[in-house]
Amino acid sequence: MTAYERLQLARAMGRPTASDYIAALFTDSVELHGDRAYADDPSVTGGIGLLAGTPVTFIGIERGHDTMERIRYNFGCPKPEGYRKARRLMLEAEKFGRPVVTFVDTSGAACGIGAEERGQGQAIAENLTVMAGLRVPIVSIVIGEGGSGGALGLALADRVWMLENAAYSVISPEGCASILWKDAARAPEAAERLHFTAEDMLRFGVAERIIEERFDEFPAMCASLGQALSETLGTLSAMTADARILARAERFRKFSPA
């Protein structure tokens, strides 16, 4: 399967979204809203739930299951208030000692005059700053498309996992082809050169785990994922906060296109 074909699977309409994983993984969950500055962005969902009895803060980029939902969720492209909501929830998690689990599925942050007027770039940059120094464990899972800074704004984590057909890239292949060759039709060629598949990310050290996609057995798939999350969060929680932050920084320093 080519990289571009995998990307089409990552973008597929029937693919489970962040809300599906949250419902399957967390019990007694409560969604929290708003950035306490401007508005609530529905494309970023977040709150508190129990993972195998342990309180966890979850944050996900919601893309939607059908056309109407995708319009409501801005096709999974968060606005500045979405990133500010995520930052608020992460700081709240730190205050109460809860680990953070994020679900990434976006082609990129919202673009447009309104998003820029409300500080899109600054909102993402502040998320990166907060996540770099957050004193609780963070695990990020790329469940579909992980595009550019819009994805990174929720993925500066201790561990990054990817579903087997997920993609994680600095730019979409269509955007890359348009810039390099002025021809978006060459997107499949750009996809091969961008090396954004889960296998590529594992080889580069950008991701630590590839999750097998068993959507026809979604409850069983999420049960296995939940067990892996619990074990990993337990391992990370056993470290001191200072050691965890240093290891997180070292994780990003050692990236290499090997």
Side-chain angles (χ1 to χ4, degrees), residues 7-17 20 62-71 75 105 215:
L7 180 61
Q8 301 317 304
L9 291 177
R11 292 170 171 174
M13 188 79 77
R15 193 178 181 87
T17 67
D20 296 314
E62 178 61 34
R63 184 172 285 216
H65 298 90
D66 55 34
T67 301
M68 293 307 297
E69 283 193 359
R70 290 198 168 188
I71 292 171
F75 296 86
D105 187 13
F215 298 146

Side-chain angles (χ1 to χ4, degrees), residues 39-149:
D40 180 59
D41 181 3
S43 68
V44 176
T45 181
I48 307 166
L50 297 179
L51 177 67
T54 299
V56 171
T57 290
F58 58 81
I59 304 167
I61 300 175
E62 178 61 34
R63 184 172 285 216
H65 298 90
D66 55 34
T67 301
M68 293 307 297
E69 283 193 359
R70 290 198 168 188
I71 292 171
R72 177 189 174 195
Y73 296 123
N74 199 34
F75 296 86
C77 297
K79 300 173 184 176
E81 46 270 26
Y83 291 105
R84 285 195 291 263
K85 174 167 65 174
R87 184 173 74 252
R88 179 176 74 84
L89 296 180
M90 287 187 282
L91 291 173
E92 179 190 82
E94 181 179 63
K95 178 179 180 179
F96 292 101
R98 291 190 300 266
V100 175
V101 177
T102 70
F103 301 90
V104 175
D105 187 13
T106 181
S107 60
C111 58
I113 294 175
E116 293 303 321
E117 287 176 340
R118 298 194 300 278
Q120 183 69 285
Q122 181 177 349
I124 294 173
E126 288 176 351
N127 274 27
L128 299 179
T129 300
V130 166
M131 295 184 84
L134 205 67
R135 298 183 67 80
V136 293
I138 319 168
V139 174
S140 294
I141 307 173
V142 183
I143 60 173
E145 191 172 6
S148 192

Side-chain angles (χ1 to χ4, degrees), residues 228-239:
L229 274 173
S230 293
E231 292 172 356
T232 298
L233 290 175
T235 300
L236 291 170
S237 296
M239 302 169 66

